[in-house]
Amino acid sequence: MSNVRRRLGDHLIALKLINQDQLSTALELQKDSPAPLGSILVSLGFLTEDLLLKALAAQMGVSPWTLGDNPPTPEAVSKVPGHLCRTYQVLPVAVRHDLLVLAMRNPADLDAIDLIRNFSGMRIEPVLVDADRLMKTIDETYRDQPGAAGNMDTLVASAIKEFNIDLNVNAKREKLTGEVDERPVVGLINQVLADAIRLGASDVHIEPRPDKVEVRYRVDGQLVPVRDFPIALHPMFSTRLKIMAELDIVEHRIPQDGRISAMVDNRLIDLRVSILPNQHGSRIVLRILDKSASIKSLDQLGFSQEQYDAFKSKVEKPYGLYLVTGPTGSGKTTTLYAALNQLRTTANNIMTCEDPIEYEMPGINQSQVNEKVGLTFALQLRAILRQDPDIILVGEIRDGETANIAIRAALTGHLVLSTLHCNDAPSAVPRLLDMGLDPFLLSTCLLGVSSQRLIRNLCTSCREPAAASDEDMKFLREYLNDNEIPMLYKSVGCAKCGYTGFKGRQAVHEVMPLSAPIANAIAERATLNEVREVAEQYGYKPMRDAAINLVLNGVTTLQEARRQVFFETTEELLTQQQQDFRKAS
């Protein structure tokens, strides 16, 4: 600490703002005081506040900003909500084209700069201000904005006051119930959701820690920390969300799931609520489903021409089972709805059973699973079969009973579309067999399987060519025949992409249409590797090929492709072949 103080003192002496005797006097006083050296120099009259601010700004390599002479403009204030300003001790003060001037007590706080850059979508110029004047100006600027984003800290304070919370007493957390007035918490929850939707988040994570509640949003597949709340408010968060989702507010021992419908910015939003007991309280995840989002067409899904033709030809069959696989949040439902949009006519009866209904589509009959009252996928699917359907969408095949009914429906003249959780298209076969399906019946009705992932797209406004590194070249040569590795692209960051280097996501697919040899392999209970080998002989191309094409075409980076798609190296393939040989022996 003394080195830092002396560096500031030496800096002030170099600028001839103080002399050595004045510095020695201030340092002597500082031994008995925790005050910063600059404040002591000002209190002694050796230096003015304005001169100190200019000196500190020069030392940090930024410009000084005097809030008294240059108050924040309304245009700048509108770019950042007040709760972020209070949390990170920053204040937007001016807008210059695509540049936002950000007054900070610590211009070296890169986390704060990155967050404000991502939130505002603008370039950031940090400037140094007096810390005390900064906090006072933040309070004055956002005080009279009820219901706005800047009101969140006021809502926190109101909630603490309403519940008479002692922030130092954690024992009170479990005693609070939904019987008390929760109006301030209503505003907090509404603001958290509104901010998430404004940022285009797909999920909101509310995570209790020993001393705070962390809130994170998932944006383009990545979790982004937003802000923290006092841990004492967590029981009210949990209670409010349970009331909205019609869950049991006094049950804290078991997981609970529910749904919330809300209007946010004149948009109908469905929230899938998951509450899981955790070490420091209930962890809450809200999945955001925007029912007003437009349904994509097949040609907007990112298929290659070959994949598009194979997928379209299979889902246009009059009967059979087609599956789309992938992890949660990989866009499976979007793909199936694009297929339904293609198949929808007044001449057919399309029916769905979903959990939940993610899109509302005119002209089809949608129904929701409700396991609380015993309405499971299997029970609902049985009822749908009595409704004279032509095409059936089953939201997910989760168990053997649902799978068996889906296959029987496919065998009796219905086209059945569904999703399944597995790693790739060939893996759907052993997964279904593991559910107890008859391999002969499965081979008879299965039309095909596709699998997909969502990969972040490079921002086309700022991406830059980049020569492949030695490691990238070694990796790419596993999948490319030529010795010459083409030019790749890297992420940079600009105002249009929030300085992340990426903007939006697109699906990367693999499609395995079922040919007669593949069907024969399934009927004979072939292993996963045997099914995959037969499929590759008849046109199936793994997802890694599509991902590599996206990298070579500059759509994404190699690192992003490897983060989402599994790539087998030559050594792994040899090891797998040796294991298969030992099993056969």
Side-chain angles (χ1 to χ4, degrees), residues 52-70:
L52 175 63
L53 182 65
K54 291 177 181 178
L56 289 171
Q59 187 184 30
M60 295 179 183
V62 298
S63 300
W65 191 276
T66 306
L67 288 169
D69 298 332
N70 300 288

Side-chain angles (χ1 to χ4, degrees), residues 332-348:
K332 301 185 297 296
T333 303
T334 300
T335 297
L336 288 182
Y337 265 90
L340 290 186
N341 198 33
Q342 178 83 20
L343 300 171
R344 180 181 50 166
T345 68
T346 57
N348 57 28

Side-chain angles (χ1 to χ4, degrees), residues 502-548:
F502 296 90
K503 188 172 183 180
R505 291 188 293 175
Q506 89 164 43
V508 56
H509 304 267
E510 64 180 23
V511 178
M512 186 183 78
L514 216 72
S515 59
I518 301 175
N520 292 336
I522 295 173
E524 294 171 1
R525 290 185 177 273
T527 66
L528 172 59
N529 286 324
E530 289 170 343
V531 171
R532 185 179 284 116
E533 288 173 5
V534 174
E536 288 181 351
Q537 293 174 14
Y538 289 89
Y540 161 69
K541 294 181 180 179
M543 190 184 299
R544 62 174 180 261
D545 292 357
I548 288 292

Side-chain angles (χ1 to χ4, degrees), residues 456-523:
R456 291 186 297 167
N457 294 335
L458 278 168
C459 175
T460 55
S461 298
C462 64
R463 67 177 184 179
E464 289 183 356
S469 65
D470 292 341
E471 181 183 352
D472 291 343
M473 291 176 68
K474 179 181 177 182
F475 177 82
L476 286 171
R477 285 201 174 103
E478 293 270 350
Y479 304 97
L480 299 178
N481 295 324
D482 358 312
N483 292 324
E484 183 180 351
I485 301 296
M487 184 67 70
L488 304 181
Y489 284 83
K490 66 178 182 179
S491 60
V492 179
C494 66
K496 291 185 178 179
C497 62
Y499 295 89
T500 62
F502 296 90
K503 188 172 183 180
R505 291 188 293 175
Q506 89 164 43
V508 56
H509 304 267
E510 64 180 23
V511 178
M512 186 183 78
L514 216 72
S515 59
I518 301 175
N520 292 336
I522 295 173

